[in-house]
Amino acid sequence: MQETITDPQTDSYQVQLDMFSGPLDLLLYLIKQEEVDIYDIPIARITRQYLKYIEQMQTLNLEVAGEFILMAATLIRIKTKLLLPRDESDPDEMDPREELILALVEYKRYKEAAEHLRDRALREEQYFVPPSPVSHSVVKVDLNPATSLFDLLSAFRTVLATRQRELFHQVQPEESSMEDRMALVLNALSEQEMATYRQLCSDDPKRMIAVVTFIAVLELARTRRISVEQSWPFAEMRVYRGTRFAESGPLDELVDYAGVEQEGELQ
Amino acid sequence: MMSASNIHATVEALIMASPEPLPVARICDVVADLTPSKAAEAVAQLNTRYADGNSSFRIRELAGGYQFYILSDFTGYVEELFTRHRKLRLTQAALETLAIIAYKQPTTKSEIEYIRGVASDGVVHTLLERNMIAITGRAKGVGKPLQYGTTEEFLKFFGLAGLDDLPKPAEIEELMA
Amino acid sequence: MMSASNIHATVEALIMASPEPLPVARICDVVADLTPSKAAEAVAQLNTRYADGNSSFRIRELAGGYQFYILSDFTGYVEELFTRHRKLRLTQAALETLAIIAYKQPTTKSEIEYIRGVASDGVVHTLLERNMIAITGRAKGVGKPLQYGTTEEFLKFFGLAGLDDLPKPAEIEELMA
């Protein structure tokens, strides 16, 4: 797998990350590399290539990897659907690839628009704008850009943050462990049939919580304690009770951060 | 009443003195009886005169204003003497996000994320901080999310006279339809 | 070997690009075979051309270097341009105070001072003067202190259609995270 991926000049994960701004970008790259038609994507082949990249990206920043992993799940789902016999009598049955293709085509347009903008920025660098010959102390012109709404919001945030620190001795809650998050997910599902990923993270806005919760969900899904559904790769993730929901096992036996990708279906 | 030649010279002086692209409305504020179309005419004639005299500079339209610039034939010499502060490069993620905002404005973060397929909080924050985009209002509908649009700084960065000047290759034309 | 016309244009570009009076020695460094006397000749001919074309600027020698300047006939217009359109830049203190008033309105000076942790008479006064805030009434309770709120001018300044468009605290967190 090394031969397809490792470019000697970009042999670092950080660079690989910079190469693709998201899973759609990676897919477009693969479609181009494999010289296939974007409107008739050979899903099995592209999925195989895609998963090779994901393996390479394992040690990447988790948040980004999360989106890449969700796309992997989508590709596998489409691949599975394509293997199922199609209902010939139903003329309305959609090609399982259709949504993905539409998303890719739409994204591709903006990626190209972004290229045109980049060219304009480079062209603009060819211009040299002379400084004003008028002494600014004479006309007292203020060269700073005008105050924006963003400046106002930043000021508001600063003043509140500073004051809060002064007014309260904030006790930092301890970072939630994987175990806690898994327990929370299972607990949520024992009270309601469905929970969204957003709800599962809503008790704590810290970014790390979102990441740990995400891994907890993946892990629970892997062991079939829960099932995960997503109507579309970027749609809200919904979590349901799985076939082995009721099986209680000590959660800590399941916990293996690093193993998620290796042991999961992604191989 | 100012003579035509005097109007030309005044317009020229104002544009040259301004450290930023000078909006035509501001020129008209200062020069009595000047209309935007007469100002545009004056700029065109000044440029003809600079070209006829083999001058090294021209006036151009940028971000809804007028600005002097030095012809690229001479930037080589100029750069030998003065190091220009190079503009910060935008990342691919920032460019994509800007493209979506530029062509779809006003647009929301969830629309951006839907098209890009990745969370875009960080890049939207950076673009706001760099004053390339601004909050322009709220969308109607569920949750009334904040809407974003591009700024004058965006036009300046990409050397655009205005939003009409956005590149319009065929595939993007479809977007605008 | 550069043509005379090209030498003129290059000298012109270099002087125009310089933020300080440009010493003739530096011009000669960049332009091959140019001597100080030839440079002086080029500047004289450029000035003749500007005069013939009724341009509003000339090149002069100042502090051992060449520099563009705008003729005094036009400096009145330039000054008017800048005095009329001075951009309003708010200080950090003003922004903080304005933000508190915007989000907590109607609010009192003592509430502002409690949140900011510093006396705020001066900055409230300035904001009133700039018409960004206004007195909206009196609070109930001891002393019936004056209450402040934001104005139409405030909305216009930040490009907001109404107070509803102001991002909510949760949205700010999302943007700034």
Side-chain angles (χ1 to χ4, degrees), chain B residues 57-71:
Chain B
F57 48 75
R58 301 285 186 275
I59 297 171
R60 66 167 174 169
E61 230 185 312
L62 182 75
Y66 290 113
Q67 180 187 60
F68 270 92
Y69 71 99
I70 290 169
L71 294 176

Side-chain angles (χ1 to χ4, degrees), chain A residues 233-252:
Chain A
F234 329 120
E236 176 105 275
M237 208 177 12
R238 291 162 188 273
V239 176
Y240 299 87
R241 292 170 197 166
T243 47
R244 295 162 73 179
F245 178 73
E247 285 176 28
S248 58
L251 289 172
D252 54 354

